[in-house]
């Protein structure tokens, strides 16, 4: 025979469930429940948001694919053996394979073999060595801003995270909440800054007629921007066009921006990856730092170290004085803490290991130049192939542009034709990743371009 305690357990449990029902159900349902003999369990089952076969999210519309990442989704579904993916913004070898740098593998192995390494949380600002070395890499070891402790640097989640943290910091603490971005620019820029709380405007940058820089339009638009506005600048290898200002043009941009107190926000995703020289690719940034003015800098190690999936980046803010830099860092912590608390340790440790060891640094620069040189070679080979086919039009912009991407000038109909007939995948604006090409695939691409511009205007 069961004990009294067991016999009394069921009524007690039902009372607790009834109390829970009274708290969960709307007031009208509570009244109905108390005036009927319906059990508490039945009441819970009847409540429409609990254990219902339908979802509270059933009304959501299917979101569209990301216009860049969606290219790879479509490519992966294509069974054709001739397919070529020129949409992905990641380096590929001549064999079309992802590349892990030898120096990265060595650094990673060193970290794994170190028994003293632990998996503790990093500080909110990230790995201290990584931050110091990142600032020196982009600004130069002899930079006055670094020597005077005027730089506040925090480790972020690659370039995207650095832009978002910087955007939210400006939305909270800067008097002008409008940011001007080049037209066109990386597709994520307007989304990142809008969600960060800034108002996004554009300035002219690319001239479709020349497939080069609309420098006059750029100057006119920045001249008409309100004093103090934020201006996003691609440090080098502009994405998606591959069109960069000359040093003389950069100097004119700098003078104009400083005269109007426009705040530069640099995005550096390709340092060393564009020309093969870390210093050359940082010249535009260092021109602005040298004049003593303030700026923001978002860095990424996705391309130049091939650490795409490690999400390694840094945000640096060059301030007017050392004491301001200390306060800026304190406020950056308040942006980061509720966003992702603190950054991951592994990728930043790889970068720091390479940057602080002179032999490994030299090895990295050689591998980096190898990647840049292969992309430059792909540009020349594609240009030569189109010239050989006597493809209509001037294709010299392919070898004049720089970095991972080429803005071909192909229109959306031509892009669609090349996907349908030649299984070549790129974004609808005609941007192609030169890093996705090889000596094997260039003839196929050249044939496709020739057919597209011949048959479709």
């Amino acid at each position: 025979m069961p004990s009294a305690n067991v016999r009394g357990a069921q009524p007690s449990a039902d009372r607790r469930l009834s109390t829970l029902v009274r708290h969960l159900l709307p007031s009208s349902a509570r009244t109905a429940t108390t005036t009927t003999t319906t059990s508490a369990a039945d009441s819970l089952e009847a409540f429409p948001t609990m254990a219902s076969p339908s979802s509270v999210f059933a009304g959501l519309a299917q979101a569209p694919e990301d216009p860049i990442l969606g290219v790879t989704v479509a490519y992966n579904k294509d069974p054709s053996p001739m397919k070529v993916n020129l949409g992905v913004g990641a380096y590929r070898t001549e064999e079309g394979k992802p590349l892990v740098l030898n120096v990265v593998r060595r650094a990673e192995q060193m970290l794994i073999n170190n028994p003293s390494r632990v998996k503790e949380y990093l500080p909110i600002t990230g790995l201290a060595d990584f931050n110091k070395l990142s600032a020196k890499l982009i600004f130069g070891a002899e930079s006055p801003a670094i020597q005077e402790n005027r730089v506040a640097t925090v480790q972020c989640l690659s370039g995207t995270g650095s832009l978002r943290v910087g955007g939210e910091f400006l939305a909270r603490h800067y008097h002008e909440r409008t940011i001007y971005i080049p037209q066109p620019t990386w597709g994520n820029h307007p989304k990142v800054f809008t969600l960060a709380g800034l108002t996004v405007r554009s300035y002219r940058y690319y001239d479709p007629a020349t497939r080069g820089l609309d420098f006059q339009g750029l100057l006119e638009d920045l001249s008409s921007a309100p004093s103090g506005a934020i201006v996003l600048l691609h440090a080098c290898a502009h994405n998606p066009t591959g069109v960069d200002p000359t040093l003389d043009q950069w100097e004119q941009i700098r003078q104009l921006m400083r005269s109007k107190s426009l705040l530069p926000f640099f995005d550096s995703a390709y340092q060393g990856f564009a020309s093969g020289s870390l210093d050359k690719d940082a010249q535009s940034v260092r021109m602005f730092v040298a004049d003593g003015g303030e700026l923001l800098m978002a860095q990424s190690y996705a391309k130049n170290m091939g650490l795409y999936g490690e999400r390694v980046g840094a945000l640096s803010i060059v301030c007017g004085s050392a004491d301001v830099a200390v306060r800026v860092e304190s406020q950056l912590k308040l942006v980061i803490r509720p966003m992702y608390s603190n950054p991951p340790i592994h990728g930043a440790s790889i970068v720091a290991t390479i940057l602080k060891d002179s032999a490994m640094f030299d090895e990295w620069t050689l591998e980096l130049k190898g990647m840049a040189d292969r992309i430059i070679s792909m540009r020349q080979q594609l240009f030569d192939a189109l010239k050989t086919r006597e493809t209509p039009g001037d294709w010299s912009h392919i070898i004049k542009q720089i970095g991972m991407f080429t803005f071909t000038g192909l229109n959306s109909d031509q892009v669609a034709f090349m996907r349908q007939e030649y299984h070549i995948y790129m974004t609808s604006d005609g941007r192609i990743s030169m890093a996705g090409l090889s000596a094997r695939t260039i003839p196929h691409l050249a044939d496709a371009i020739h057919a597209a511009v011949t048959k479709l205007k």
Side-chain angles (χ1 to χ4, degrees):
M1 180 177 292
S3 67
N5 285 342
V6 173
R7 284 198 304 271
Q10 180 59 41
S12 176
D14 196 56
R15 280 197 300 274
R16 289 196 298 270
L17 193 55
S18 296
T19 302
L20 177 62
V21 168
R22 286 197 299 274
H23 284 292
L24 291 177
L25 293 181
S27 57
S28 58
R30 271 184 232 145
T31 304
T33 300
T34 58
T35 58
T36 66
T37 58
T38 305
S39 72
D42 290 340
S43 297
L44 279 176
E45 287 178 8
F47 192 45
T49 62
M50 295 179 181
S52 170
S54 180
S55 168
V56 294
F57 304 113
L60 285 182
Q62 179 68 35
E65 291 282 2
D66 180 274
I68 297 175
L69 301 181
V71 172
T72 298
V73 173
Y75 168 84
N76 288 336
K77 293 177 180 177
D78 188 342
S80 172
M82 298 186 67
K83 65 182 181 179
V84 180
N85 186 2
L86 301 179
V88 63
Y91 184 82
R92 293 292 181 262
T93 65
E94 181 67 23
E95 296 71 38
K97 303 295 184 183
L99 176 67
V100 179
L101 300 183
N102 291 329
V103 70
V104 166
R105 290 195 186 277
R106 284 211 301 128
E108 199 162 37
Q109 197 60 52
M110 289 169 61
L111 295 170
I112 292 170
N113 292 342
N114 183 353
S116 67
R117 280 186 57 78
V118 294
K119 299 292 186 181
E120 292 292 297
Y121 289 125
L122 285 177
I124 297 172
T125 54
L127 190 66
D129 278 353
F130 168 83
N131 291 339
K132 291 176 184 176
L133 292 162
S134 294
K136 287 182 179 180
L137 185 71
I138 190 65
F139 300 131
E142 306 304 317
S143 171
I146 291 176
Q147 294 177 344
E148 296 162 10
N149 297 315
R150 293 191 287 111
V151 182
T153 302
V154 291
Q155 180 189 336
C156 295
L157 306 182
S158 201
T160 306
S162 303
L163 293 164
R164 180 62 181 266
V165 170
E168 294 212 8
F169 170 82
L170 291 170
R172 292 186 193 185
H173 301 293
Y174 188 58
H175 67 277
E176 175 58 66
R177 291 179 175 82
T178 300
I179 184 167
Y180 283 77
I181 63 176
Q183 178 59 39
T185 191
W186 180 45
N188 224 13
H189 278 146
K191 301 170 190 174
V192 167
F193 291 121
T194 298
L195 290 173
L198 299 174
T199 299
V200 176
R201 299 281 183 265
S202 64
Y203 62 90
R204 282 171 283 177
Y205 188 88
Y206 178 74
D207 183 355
T210 64
R211 297 176 184 173
L213 183 66
D214 182 0
F215 188 56
Q216 192 58 40
L218 181 154
L219 294 179
E220 290 174 2
D221 288 350
L222 294 188
S223 294
S224 62
S227 177
I230 310 155
V231 179
L232 180 77
L233 302 165
H234 294 230
C236 67
H238 179 273
N239 178 6
T241 69
V243 174
D244 286 352
T246 65
L247 286 181
D248 286 343
Q249 289 171 332
W250 271 120
E251 176 58 20
Q252 292 181 61
I253 294 169
R254 185 195 66 80
Q255 291 180 15
L256 171 61
M257 289 184 61
R258 293 309 194 195
S259 71
K260 290 183 58 67
S261 299
L262 301 175
L263 181 64
F265 194 153
F266 279 96
D267 184 358
S268 176
Y270 302 98
Q271 186 184 0
F273 197 88
S275 69
S277 167
L278 290 161
D279 291 329
K280 185 176 181 180
D281 290 348
Q283 283 179 306
S284 61
V285 179
R286 294 175 185 178
M287 289 169 64
F288 280 78
V289 176
D291 67 16
E294 297 181 305
L295 60 84
L296 286 82
M297 160 56 61
Q299 278 174 278
S300 167
Y301 289 94
K303 272 71 174 183
N304 59 13
M305 279 200 188
L307 297 174
Y308 303 96
E310 299 290 355
R311 312 309 293 144
V312 193
L315 172 70
S316 291
I317 301 183
V318 177
C319 305
S321 63
D323 63 310
V324 170
V326 171
R327 296 200 296 276
V328 164
E329 182 183 294
S330 73
Q331 292 295 336
L332 287 171
K333 291 179 184 179
L334 298 186
V335 174
I336 293 169
R337 176 61 171 158
M339 188 185 292
Y340 55 85
S341 195
N342 55 319
I345 192 171
H346 187 68
S349 297
I350 293 173
V351 173
T353 298
I354 293 170
L355 295 186
K356 68 185 177 185
D357 183 285
S358 59
M360 297 184 80
F361 182 88
D362 290 344
E363 182 180 352
W364 172 50
T365 58
L366 288 174
E367 291 195 81
L368 180 55
K369 190 173 190 308
M371 290 191 289
D373 285 349
R374 197 185 86 76
I375 291 174
I376 292 169
S377 172
M378 291 300 101
R379 289 183 177 280
Q380 187 65 52
Q381 289 183 45
L382 178 58
F383 171 74
D384 291 344
L386 292 170
K387 189 175 181 182
T388 299
R389 287 161 177 75
E390 298 183 345
T391 303
D394 178 8
W395 298 93
S396 62
H397 60 283
I398 293 175
I399 51 178
K400 291 176 182 175
Q401 294 171 6
I402 191 171
M404 178 173 280
F405 301 109
T406 284
F407 222 42
T408 60
L410 297 167
N411 61 43
S412 58
D413 289 339
Q414 292 165 335
V415 169
F417 169 82
M418 290 169 62
R419 178 182 294 197
Q420 179 68 32
E421 300 297 326
Y422 288 84
H423 304 276
I424 292 174
Y425 290 79
M426 67 184 79
T427 52
S428 60
D429 58 7
R431 185 197 81 165
I432 63 173
S433 172
M434 300 306 298
L437 283 172
S438 67
R440 179 183 61 82
T441 58
I442 279 178
H444 181 55
L445 174 62
D447 288 343
I449 292 175
H450 184 87
V453 299
T454 302
K455 297 180 179 180
L456 301 172
K457 301 297 183 184

